[in-house]
Amino acid sequence: MIEVNNIFKSFDKSEVLNQINTVFHRGKTNLIIGQSGSGKTVLLKCLLGLYEVDSGEIIYDGLSSKKMNGDERLDISRQMGMVFQGSALFDSMSVLENVRFPLDMLTKINESEKNSRAMKFIERVNLKDAVNKLPSELSGGMQKRVAIARALAMEPKIMLFDEPTSALDPEMIKEVLDVMKELAKSGMTMIVVTHEMGFAKEVADRVMLFDDGMLVEENTPEEFFNNPKSDRTKLFLSQIL
């Protein structure tokens, strides 16, 4: 679905992605782990088009980032939903209004259909009873689920998650992970930056370790955790497990 071919990315002459080569397959859950500053979030933003790579290319269903025009780039972005570390909700908007926001901004569907689609995904993340509440009235886990519903409202083909459980209490983490597990079971293509190793073992089709801007190792969860090949992977796992 997405091919990443030899991409490099730097900021102020500091290289943050170095010769990344990988493929994200349709319908699979891909977990990206690694220390802070290893390039994980930058990769997600490059995939989404928020950052342009310095060299190399990203191929989306056969269409190269080198060759696409502005409209094609926008269309690719609209096929991808992203949930950032912060929920990024609008404080003055209700849950329904927050989830409806991308539909209001980016679609021409009528009011009834906007509400219907927003409610569909609010219910999917189990927040029907909170539909009229403001973000300040919600727990951190509930806010994150609103952010997931908002991303899903555009009916993306791919969901990107950047440490969706960061700064949440254990009970709230479970709320968010349960929604993500349901998405994985439904066949959604997912690329997830996370520190949740239990989630990686249970749900991922593939686990990838980034370190210092490089993709050190990628494999199935079973092989990655039980039979790591790289010394860097072995060290990383010894520190977190």
Side-chain angles (χ1 to χ4, degrees), residues 12-63:
D12 298 326
K13 298 182 180 181
S14 177
E15 202 165 69
V16 291
L17 291 177
N18 182 0
Q19 199 174 354
I20 306 299
N21 290 278
T22 191
V23 177
F24 298 102
H25 294 283
R26 191 183 311 276
K28 301 299 183 180
T29 300
N30 307 270
L31 272 287
I32 302 175
I33 63 176
Q35 294 181 338
S36 297
S38 59
K40 308 182 301 296
T41 297
V42 174
L43 175 64
L44 293 189
K45 291 183 177 180
C46 287
L47 295 177
L48 189 60
L50 295 178
Y51 294 150
E52 288 199 18
V53 298
D54 297 329
S55 62
E57 66 178 343
I58 303 173
I59 302 175
Y60 304 86
D61 280 341
L63 183 62

Side-chain angles (χ1 to χ4, degrees), residues 1-14:
M1 191 171 192
I2 301 178
E3 299 175 48
V4 176
N5 293 336
N6 202 35
I7 66 169
F8 289 79
K9 179 64 181 176
S10 61
F11 296 104
D12 298 326
K13 298 182 180 181
S14 177

Side-chain angles (χ1 to χ4, degrees), residues 83 86-89 94-96 98-99 121-150 164-177 179:
V83 178
S87 299
L89 303 179
S94 68
V95 167
L96 177 61
N98 267 286
V99 175
F121 292 106
I122 289 170
E123 292 175 7
R124 187 168 182 178
V125 299
N126 302 312
L127 285 174
K128 183 179 180 180
D129 293 340
V131 67
N132 294 315
K133 291 186 176 181
L134 297 174
S136 60
E137 301 176 279
L138 307 177
S139 69
M142 294 170 76
Q143 290 180 20
K144 192 69 69 171
R145 283 187 279 151
V146 175
I148 294 173
R150 181 177 58 190
T165 59
S166 63
L168 295 181
D169 294 333
E171 184 177 345
M172 296 177 187
I173 289 174
K174 183 179 184 303
E175 292 178 7
V176 176
L177 293 183
V179 171

Side-chain angles (χ1 to χ4, degrees), residues 194-209:
T194 186
H195 296 294
E196 299 294 334
M197 295 302 104
F199 179 76
K201 291 179 179 179
E202 181 180 354
V203 179
D205 294 291
R206 184 174 53 149
V207 181
M208 312 166 71
L209 175 66

Side-chain angles (χ1 to χ4, degrees), residues 181-193:
K181 289 175 185 177
E182 189 273 329
L183 286 176
K185 290 178 182 178
S186 74
M188 174 66 74
T189 305
M190 298 167 61
I191 305 173
V192 185
V193 170

